[in-house]
């Protein structure tokens, strides 16, 4: 990507409501979306999920635009420098590390894999004749037992799907990062997110991994698999406490 094209990627959110050549790397600067300065203001804004979503989408737009032309090393969304001079200083100071990381990630993409279990699936009601012969307390206990059986089955199915995804990772991926499952405001569906992983895969194996991982829930009840990507390698741009070490690589 030439300098003129990079300068056109400003990272400005489209709607924010109130609430590579090393060793001298250069990086595009993103607009902060009109965010108030100061730690207390950042804390207050971060609690506004709509604002955070808009900024995250703008951040991803910058990374996505650059990744279409070159290898990228995404920084964390909350990486803030006071001005362009400070950003350049940080890049220059870390040139050797950035060069090593870019070399490691060149030609690779990231796939996100989430597994969801639905432990609230309806349980079959007892037969009418059987239900009529039971006391209310006995019928209640039987219903609770049936509900527990459905939950246990869903979680077992999710574990089996996770094993299938991991097998695909060991065959096609070179790295895996585990993320916290999505709960609370981050949860977007009624079922339960039980696994949230990212896999680093070379471009020539990307479709093979996606295809196999997407089939991990076949034949299983109460579970589904969501594969997203390919993305720039966000989860592998730097070592983090929540990341697994690189996987063993393709299995012959």
């Amino acid at each position: 990507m030439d300098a003129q094209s990079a300068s056109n990627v400003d990272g400005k959110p489209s709607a924010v409501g109130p609430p590579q050549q090393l060793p001298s790397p250069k990086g595009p600067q993103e607009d902060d979306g009109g965010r108030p300065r100061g730690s207390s203001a950042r804390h207050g804004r971060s609690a506004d999920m709509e604002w955070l979503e808009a900024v995250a989408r703008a951040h991803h737009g910058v990374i996505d635009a650059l990744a279409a032309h070159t290898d990228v090393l995404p920084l964390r969304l909350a990486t803030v420098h006071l001005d362009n001079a400070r950003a350049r200083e940080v890049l220059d100071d870390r040139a050797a590390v950035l060069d090593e990381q870019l070399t490691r990630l060149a030609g690779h993409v990231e796939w996100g894999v989430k597994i969801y279990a639905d432990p609230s699936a309806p349980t079959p009601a007892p037969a009418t004749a059987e239900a009529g012969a039971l006391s209310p307390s006995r019928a209640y206990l039987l219903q609770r037992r049936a509900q527990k059986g459905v939950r246990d089955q869903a979680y077992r199915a999710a574990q089996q799907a996770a094993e299938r995804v991991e097998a695909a990772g060991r065959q096609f991926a070179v790295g895996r990062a585990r993320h916290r499952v999505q709960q609370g405001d981050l949860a977007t569906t009624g079922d339960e997110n039980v696994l949230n992983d990212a896999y680093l895969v070379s471009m020539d194996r990307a479709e093979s991994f996606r295809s196999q991982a997407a089939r991990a829930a076949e034949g299983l009840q109460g579970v589904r698999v969501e594969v997203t990507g390919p993305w720039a390698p966000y989860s592998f741009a730097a070592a983090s406490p929540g990341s697994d070490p690189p996987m063993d690589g393709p299995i012959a």
Side-chain angles (χ1 to χ4, degrees):
M1 174 176 281
D2 57 39
Q4 180 60 41
S5 298
S7 67
N8 292 332
V9 182
D10 62 10
K12 184 179 297 184
S14 58
V16 179
Q20 189 116 14
Q21 289 290 324
L22 294 173
S24 296
K26 299 178 181 180
Q29 287 79 43
E30 300 179 33
D31 189 279
D32 68 0
R35 178 177 51 207
R37 302 291 183 178
S39 59
S40 60
R42 285 197 299 271
H43 177 75
R45 284 286 199 165
S46 295
D48 183 340
M49 294 302 294
E50 292 183 1
W51 176 87
L52 186 59
E53 180 181 2
V55 173
R57 289 185 182 278
H59 176 77
H60 173 69
V62 173
I63 302 302
D64 199 41
L66 295 174
H69 299 275
T70 187
D71 295 314
V72 296
L73 195 64
L75 299 180
R76 291 180 182 272
L77 174 61
T79 302
V80 178
H81 299 296
L82 293 178
D83 51 34
N84 290 352
R86 175 55 183 163
R88 177 67 60 82
E89 180 182 348
V90 171
L91 291 173
D92 288 341
D93 289 345
R94 301 188 61 202
V97 174
L98 296 175
D99 189 16
E100 180 182 351
Q101 291 176 328
L102 281 168
T103 300
R104 175 173 57 88
L105 298 177
H108 291 77
V109 294
E110 174 176 327
W111 287 104
V113 182
K114 295 185 179 71
I115 295 180
Y116 296 88
D118 185 6
S120 62
T123 56
T128 303
E130 178 185 356
L134 296 175
S135 66
S137 60
R138 179 63 175 166
Y140 171 77
L141 290 175
L142 285 178
Q143 184 69 9
R144 290 298 301 270
R145 183 180 301 172
Q147 290 172 346
K148 183 178 184 302
V150 170
R151 288 197 301 270
D152 291 346
Q153 180 179 352
Y155 291 131
R156 285 195 298 269
Q159 178 62 38
Q160 188 173 351
E163 292 170 355
R164 293 175 180 178
V165 170
E166 185 169 341
R170 292 199 175 279
Q171 184 174 0
F172 299 113
V174 297
R176 177 184 63 191
R178 292 195 179 278
H179 299 299
R180 291 181 180 178
V181 295
Q182 294 184 335
Q183 299 174 329
D185 290 338
L186 295 178
T188 57
T189 62
D191 43 9
E192 181 182 352
N193 181 208
V194 296
L195 180 140
N196 184 11
D197 285 356
Y199 285 86
L200 184 66
V201 187
S202 62
M203 290 183 179
D204 60 336
R205 289 174 166 261
E207 178 55 29
S208 297
F209 172 82
R210 185 209 64 78
S211 178
Q212 187 165 321
R215 297 195 304 269
E218 287 185 355
L220 302 176
Q221 297 295 321
V223 63
R224 66 182 179 90
V225 175
E226 178 183 90
V227 181
T228 60
W231 314 113
Y234 290 87
S235 302
F236 304 91
S240 61
S243 298
D244 288 351
M247 301 181 74
D248 295 334
I251 298 175

